[in-house]
Amino acid sequence: MRINLNTLKEKLPTVPMDKLQAGEVSRPEYLPSIGVFRAIEAAHEADNSKDVDWSSFTLAEAEEALSHAMGYEAYEYIDEVDEDERPFINRGNAVHQYLHSCNIIGQLKRTAPEKQVSEVQFF
Amino acid sequence: MEKSYYCAEQVGQMQATYDALVMLKMIHDAGCDIVNDPINYYCYDFGDQYPIFIKCLKRVFGDFTTTFEGQNEHWQEVNTYRIPFPELSHFFAIVGSQESGRYAAKFNKKMKQTCDYLEFEMEGLVAGNCLHITLTGSYGILSSFLKVLLEIRQEVLQVIRDHKSRITAGARNVVLLQMVYERLGSVPRVSVGDRTTAVFSRVIEHLGGSSNGVDAESLTFDEMRTMLKDVLDQATINRKGEAA
């Protein structure tokens, strides 16, 4: 199963940089570049360097993906925080957005078994 | 929407895998072929990226030696490695003794790194033809450590490349001027240390020749020699005509 990352990025909410810098919107709504999602995809979908398109993301984007991974909270952590803080856990985290998309697509596939072929285009 | 899709153990696996992925991207960008000579980067546990860090160092610097494995007085794990870097001796010879000390201090400072997430650090020392690094702690993010080692390597190799390029340019300039001297008995006033394209243009201008609208920057050295030979032939004919 593969996600059309270009389409995924288009569907994500965009935040004007001036609003982000002015603090009018919270940091979690910042939008990662497509290269960050390419790096995330490489980390989740492949395990060998020969299967990665190394020109599809920059080193800076790979490092940004790593920082998202380092900021990812496990579900054990959810019980440890106050209830009013829980909605913000992993919010805006690019890894979480990717996993969420994979999960949604998985659910769609399960509900439409007749379309379980690799050619199906999501988004 | 789920708040999290992974348990703590899975998050650790994921973070180690991302760290390994970043290290592979670094050595790919440094010129290592990791497609035809692949490396598996999936990590089953946090800490599994350590062997990948070692593998990356070997790919970039060649084989290296573990000089110490043990614990310090605070019972922290300590590993020391000697990384061969023979280009360093050439580099220090180029920059000279005064600058060598400044560069060594700069590189040593650069290699002192602390992990942003865990109690893990690197210290390094530049020697005449190798780097000595010490990693203290059991677990941490290694890509930031590899990054500074690659940056040091890049800076050293760039200085060597620039030096070689200056020597090549100087030798080529001498060849061009020698061609002029052999035919005319004199040479225009130019700086031998200048870029070859600049010297070539100056020589052609001195001989009253024309490059026929061709940009000297786009010419190979062989093309410059051929063009100069034609201009010299014409200059020789002109001089004979003037003498007659």
Side-chain angles (χ1 to χ4, degrees):
Chain A
M1 176 184 72
R2 287 179 69 82
I3 296 175
N4 184 332
L5 292 175
N6 288 315
T7 318
L8 167 65
K9 186 173 178 293
E10 283 167 19
K11 300 293 177 193
L12 291 172
T14 54
V15 178
M17 190 50 75
D18 56 340
K19 283 194 173 181
L20 186 66
Q21 286 166 347
E24 290 175 29
V25 291
S26 59
R27 182 70 186 165
E29 288 182 65
Y30 123 94
L31 188 65
S33 69
I34 191 73
V36 173
F37 283 110
R38 292 277 175 222
I40 290 170
E41 184 183 51
H44 290 266
E45 296 294 322
D47 57 13
N48 192 294
S49 61
K50 69 177 166 54
D51 301 321
V52 176
D53 177 3
W54 294 100
S55 59
S56 67
F57 54 90
T58 64
L59 174 59
E61 286 167 335
E63 288 174 320
E64 194 176 329
L66 171 63
S67 73
H68 281 274
M70 294 307 294
Y72 197 79
E73 299 291 359
Y75 55 68
E76 291 95 323
Y77 176 75
I78 297 168
D79 296 333
E80 295 175 18
V81 298
D82 294 338
E83 210 157 302
D84 54 342
E85 287 180 26
R86 287 179 191 169
F88 299 102
I89 292 174
N90 291 326
R91 187 178 162 196
N93 186 297
V95 173
H96 191 61
Q97 289 171 350
Y98 177 83
L99 293 175
H100 183 63
S101 301
C102 289
N103 186 47
I104 294 289
I105 290 166
Q107 285 180 15
L108 285 170
K109 276 193 156 189
R110 283 192 292 277
T111 56
E114 73 278 6
K115 289 184 181 175
Q116 285 188 4
V117 288
S118 57
E119 289 77 24
V120 172
Q121 269 286 312
F122 289 101
F123 292 102
Chain B
M1 185 173 175
E2 297 290 335
K3 296 288 174 281
S4 177
Y5 290 96
Y6 285 158
C7 67
E9 191 180 343
Q10 289 170 314
V11 169
Q13 288 175 350
M14 174 182 73
Q15 291 169 336
T17 302
Y18 273 72
D19 192 23
L21 180 83
V22 173
M23 287 193 275
L24 293 190
K25 175 65 180 169
M26 285 173 185
I27 67 164
H28 169 269
D29 290 357
C32 295
D33 184 354
I34 54 170
V35 174
N36 294 309
D37 191 4
I39 296 173
N40 196 309
Y41 60 85
Y42 183 77
C43 296
Y44 291 91
D45 207 350
F46 196 88
D48 283 358
Q49 75 271 40
Y50 207 126
I52 296 170
F53 171 74
I54 300 292
K55 206 173 271 187
C56 288
L57 284 180
K58 285 183 177 174
R59 285 283 180 99
V60 174
F61 292 96
D63 211 4
F64 68 97
T65 320
T66 302
T67 49
F68 180 78
E69 278 179 312
Q71 290 180 326
N72 63 12
E73 66 274 23
H74 305 296
W75 301 103
Q76 289 173 302
E77 199 176 307
V78 177
N79 289 284
T80 305
Y81 305 103
R82 180 184 182 279
I83 304 169
F85 194 9
E87 292 88 350
L88 269 175
S89 54
H90 190 189
F91 167 80
F92 285 131
I94 292 169
V95 298
S97 56
Q98 214 168 7
E99 282 294 288
S100 292
R102 195 181 66 80
Y103 270 110
K106 176 185 158 186
F107 293 157
N108 291 345
K109 188 179 173 189
K110 200 173 168 98
M111 283 190 280
K112 193 170 174 53
Q113 293 284 323
T114 307
C115 176
D116 291 338
Y117 304 96
L118 295 156
E119 208 169 299
F120 192 55
E121 61 180 40
M122 176 175 80
E123 284 189 333
L125 203 62
V126 176
N129 59 358
C130 64
L131 303 172
H132 294 281
I133 60 163
T134 301
L135 301 183
T136 305
S138 306
Y139 303 106
I141 292 299
L142 285 151
S143 53
S144 54
F145 296 174
L146 180 65
K147 187 177 187 179
V148 296
L149 297 175
L150 293 178
E151 282 173 354
I152 290 170
R153 176 179 174 269
Q154 176 61 27
E155 187 168 351
V156 166
L157 296 183
Q158 189 58 48
V159 167
I160 294 172
R161 271 196 294 270
D162 290 348
H163 180 69
K164 282 183 178 169
S165 165
R166 281 197 300 275
I167 289 175
T168 306
R172 286 177 168 175
N173 294 343
V174 168
V175 168
L176 295 179
L177 293 171
Q178 180 69 18
M179 284 172 70
V180 177
Y181 184 77
E182 281 177 0
R183 295 286 288 274
L184 305 179
S186 64
V187 291
R189 188 180 289 273
V190 291
S191 168
V192 179
D194 215 342
R195 290 184 312 120
T196 303
T197 48
V199 171
F200 172 75
S201 300
R202 177 78 188 91
V203 167
I204 295 291
E205 184 189 328
H206 173 74
L207 296 173
S210 162
S211 54
N212 296 324
V214 178
D215 182 7
E217 298 286 348
S218 65
L219 295 173
T220 64
F221 182 58
D222 283 340
E223 287 168 341
M224 286 185 202
R225 287 173 65 185
T226 306
M227 279 182 70
L228 178 59
K229 187 175 173 299
D230 292 343
V231 172
L232 281 169
D233 287 344
Q234 190 59 50
T236 307
I237 291 166
N238 292 347
R239 286 195 175 196
K240 280 180 181 171
E242 284 169 15

